[in-house]
Amino acid sequence: MWRPCQRRCVHSSVRLMKKLGGKTPAEQRWVLRQLRDPYVKASHAENFRCRSAFKLLEMDDKFRLLQPGHSVVDCGAAPGAWSQVAVQRVNSAGTDPELPSGTVVGIDLLNIPPLDGAHFLSSHDVTDPSTHAKLLELLPNGRAHVILSDMAPNASGFREMDHERLITMCLSLLDLAEKVLQPGGALVCKYWDGILARTLHERLSRVFGGVRTLKPNASRKDSAERYFFAKMYRKRIK
């Protein structure tokens, strides 16, 4: 006799076979990993746009960098999961009328679906002066309390090249900070571990009072992904 649990298993197997059908071995491994990932399941349950939301939630729970009323710039924002967290934490949608309302501005070369409480600059380059000008208009008093960056280049398959490209992207955030980050502000940026990570750490240490390396639990253990959390920004001296 077929029991309900047996039927569910058969139906799950059929769905799984459909997901895997016609895919390359590498694509099949990715699908299987996604299906088994508890953070992917949790992101669906909590309506986050992707699992990366839990990385920012964990870091913010520990360091309280996103406060109601804060202004936040989210670099490499697509598809918008970090902006979702920022909107909640700084109350930029005005969900709690008793708390001050913050501001969230997301930037990406890709299209970012609309999100209540966030301003998105889709098809914008975070290094472009015209993007900086728009940020100055959108941010209250032209200043941000926090810069977030989960951006990364498209993977080339060459680890050292990808590492160098991402470090270069992170270094560009120092120019952005000089334009919009208020004194005492904070920055969180993703990097891939490698030989140039020390260079990035040193450059951040010149303009921030403290820099820490983080590896959130939601980051996959086999990934070279790390984050720098830099706090107490001081404008660099030319």
Coordinates of all heavy atoms in Angstrom, one line a residue, residues 31 34-35 39 43 51 56 58 66 80 87 89-90 99 117 125 145 149 157 162 168 180 206 211 221 226 231 234:
V31 N 22.4 22.5 -8.8 CA 20.9 22.3 -8.5 C 20.8 21.5 -7.2 O 20.1 21.9 -6.3 CB 20.2 21.7 -9.6 CG1 18.8 21.3 -9.1 CG2 20.1 22.6 -10.8
Q34 N 21.8 23.6 -4.2 CA 20.7 24.5 -3.9 C 19.6 23.9 -3.1 O 19.0 24.4 -2.1 CB 20.2 25.2 -5.1 CG 21.2 26.2 -5.8 CD 21.5 27.4 -4.9 OE1 22.6 27.4 -4.3 NE2 20.6 28.4 -4.9
L35 N 19.2 22.7 -3.6 CA 18.0 22.0 -3.0 C 18.3 21.6 -1.6 O 17.4 21.5 -0.7 CB 17.7 20.8 -3.8 CG 17.1 21.1 -5.2 CD1 16.9 19.8 -6.0 CD2 15.7 21.8 -5.1
Y39 N 19.9 27.6 3.9 CA 19.7 29.0 3.8 C 18.9 29.3 2.5 O 18.2 30.3 2.5 CB 21.1 29.7 3.7 CG 21.8 29.7 5.0 CD1 22.9 28.8 5.3 CD2 21.4 30.5 6.1 CE1 23.5 28.8 6.5 CE2 22.1 30.5 7.3 CZ 23.1 29.7 7.5 OH 23.8 29.6 8.7
S43 N 15.5 31.3 2.9 CA 15.2 32.5 2.1 C 13.8 32.5 1.4 O 13.1 33.5 1.3 CB 16.3 32.8 1.1 OG 16.3 31.8 0.1
R51 N 19.7 33.8 -0.7 CA 20.3 33.3 0.6 C 21.3 34.3 1.2 O 21.5 34.3 2.4 CB 20.9 32.0 0.4 CG 22.2 32.0 -0.4 CD 22.8 30.6 -0.7 NE 23.1 29.8 0.4 CZ 24.2 30.0 1.2 NH1 25.0 31.0 0.9 NH2 24.4 29.2 2.2
L56 N 24.2 39.1 5.7 CA 24.1 40.5 6.3 C 23.3 40.5 7.6 O 23.7 41.2 8.5 CB 23.4 41.4 5.3 CG 23.2 42.9 5.7 CD1 24.6 43.5 6.1 CD2 22.5 43.7 4.6
E58 N 23.3 38.2 9.9 CA 24.2 37.7 10.9 C 25.3 38.8 11.3 O 25.5 39.0 12.5 CB 25.0 36.5 10.4 CG 25.9 35.9 11.4 CD 26.7 34.7 10.8 OE1 26.2 34.0 9.9 OE2 27.8 34.3 11.4
L66 N 23.3 48.7 11.2 CA 22.1 49.2 10.5 C 21.1 49.6 11.6 O 20.5 48.7 12.2 CB 21.5 48.2 9.6 CG 22.4 47.7 8.4 CD1 21.7 46.6 7.7 CD2 22.8 48.8 7.5
G80 N 18.7 42.1 -4.8 CA 18.1 43.0 -3.8 C 17.9 42.5 -2.4 O 17.2 43.1 -1.6
V87 N 16.4 47.7 4.4 CA 15.1 48.4 4.5 C 14.4 48.0 5.8 O 13.9 48.9 6.5 CB 14.1 48.0 3.3 CG1 12.7 48.4 3.6 CG2 14.6 48.6 2.0
R89 N 15.9 47.0 8.6 CA 16.7 47.4 9.8 C 16.8 48.9 10.0 O 16.8 49.4 11.1 CB 18.1 46.8 9.7 CG 18.2 45.3 9.8 CD 17.8 44.8 11.2 NE 17.6 43.4 11.3 CZ 18.4 42.5 11.7 NH1 19.7 42.9 12.1 NH2 18.1 41.2 11.8
V90 N 16.7 49.7 8.9 CA 16.8 51.2 9.0 C 15.4 51.8 9.0 O 15.3 53.0 9.0 CB 17.8 51.8 8.0 CG1 19.1 51.2 8.0 CG2 17.2 51.8 6.6
L99 N 9.6 54.9 15.0 CA 11.1 54.9 14.8 C 11.4 55.9 13.6 O 10.6 56.0 12.7 CB 11.6 53.5 14.5 CG 11.5 52.5 15.6 CD1 12.0 51.1 15.1 CD2 12.3 52.9 16.8
G117 N 10.6 51.0 -0.1 CA 11.5 51.5 0.9 C 12.9 51.7 0.4 O 13.8 52.1 1.1
D125 N 27.0 52.2 -12.9 CA 28.3 51.8 -12.4 C 28.7 52.5 -11.2 O 28.7 53.8 -11.1 CB 29.3 52.1 -13.6 CG 30.7 51.6 -13.3 OD1 31.0 51.3 -12.1 OD2 31.5 51.5 -14.2
H145 N 25.5 56.6 6.3 CA 26.1 56.0 7.5 C 26.8 54.7 7.2 O 27.8 54.4 7.9 CB 25.0 55.7 8.5 CG 24.2 56.9 9.0 ND1 23.2 57.5 8.3 CD2 24.4 57.6 10.1 CE1 22.7 58.5 9.0 NE2 23.4 58.6 10.1
S149 N 28.7 46.3 0.3 CA 29.1 45.8 -1.0 C 29.2 44.2 -1.0 O 30.0 43.7 -0.3 CB 30.4 46.3 -1.4 OG 30.8 45.7 -2.7
G157 N 36.9 31.8 -14.2 CA 37.4 30.4 -14.0 C 38.9 30.4 -13.6 O 39.4 29.4 -13.3
D162 N 40.2 36.5 -10.9 CA 39.0 36.9 -10.3 C 39.2 37.6 -9.0 O 38.5 38.5 -8.6 CB 38.0 35.7 -10.1 CG 37.6 35.1 -11.4 OD1 37.6 35.8 -12.4 OD2 37.2 33.9 -11.5
T168 N 40.1 45.0 -6.8 CA 40.0 46.3 -7.5 C 38.7 46.9 -7.3 O 38.6 48.1 -7.1 CB 40.3 46.1 -9.0 OG1 41.6 45.6 -9.1 CG2 40.3 47.4 -9.7
V180 N 30.6 60.1 -0.2 CA 29.3 60.0 0.4 C 29.4 59.5 1.9 O 28.4 59.7 2.6 CB 28.3 59.2 -0.4 CG1 28.2 59.6 -1.8 CG2 28.7 57.7 -0.3
R206 N 43.9 52.6 6.6 CA 44.4 54.0 6.6 C 43.2 55.0 6.8 O 43.5 56.2 7.3 CB 45.0 54.3 5.2 CG 46.3 53.6 4.9 CD 46.7 53.9 3.5 NE 47.8 53.0 3.0 CZ 48.3 53.0 1.8 NH1 47.9 53.8 0.9 NH2 49.3 52.1 1.5
V211 N 39.3 47.5 11.4 CA 39.0 46.7 10.3 C 39.0 45.2 10.7 O 40.0 44.8 11.3 CB 39.9 46.8 9.0 CG1 39.5 45.9 7.9 CG2 40.0 48.3 8.6
K221 N 31.3 26.9 3.4 CA 32.6 26.6 4.0 C 33.7 26.4 3.0 O 34.9 26.7 3.2 CB 32.5 25.4 4.9 CG 31.6 25.6 6.1 CD 31.6 24.3 7.0 CE 30.7 24.5 8.2 NZ 30.7 23.3 9.1
R226 N 35.1 36.1 1.9 CA 35.3 36.7 3.2 C 34.7 38.1 3.1 O 34.4 38.6 2.0 CB 36.8 36.8 3.5 CG 37.5 35.5 3.5 CD 37.2 34.7 4.8 NE 38.1 33.5 4.9 CZ 38.0 32.4 4.2 NH1 37.0 32.3 3.3 NH2 38.9 31.4 4.3
K231 N 35.0 50.1 10.4 CA 34.2 51.1 11.1 C 35.0 52.4 11.4 O 36.2 52.4 11.3 CB 33.7 50.5 12.4 CG 34.8 50.0 13.4 CD 34.1 49.4 14.6 CE 35.2 49.0 15.6 NZ 34.6 48.4 16.8
R234 N 37.3 57.9 8.7 CA 37.9 59.2 8.8 C 38.4 59.6 7.4 O 39.0 58.8 6.7 CB 39.0 59.3 9.8 CG 40.1 58.2 9.6 CD 41.2 58.3 10.6 NE 42.3 57.4 10.4 CZ 42.3 56.1 10.9 NH1 41.3 55.7 11.7 NH2 43.3 55.3 10.6

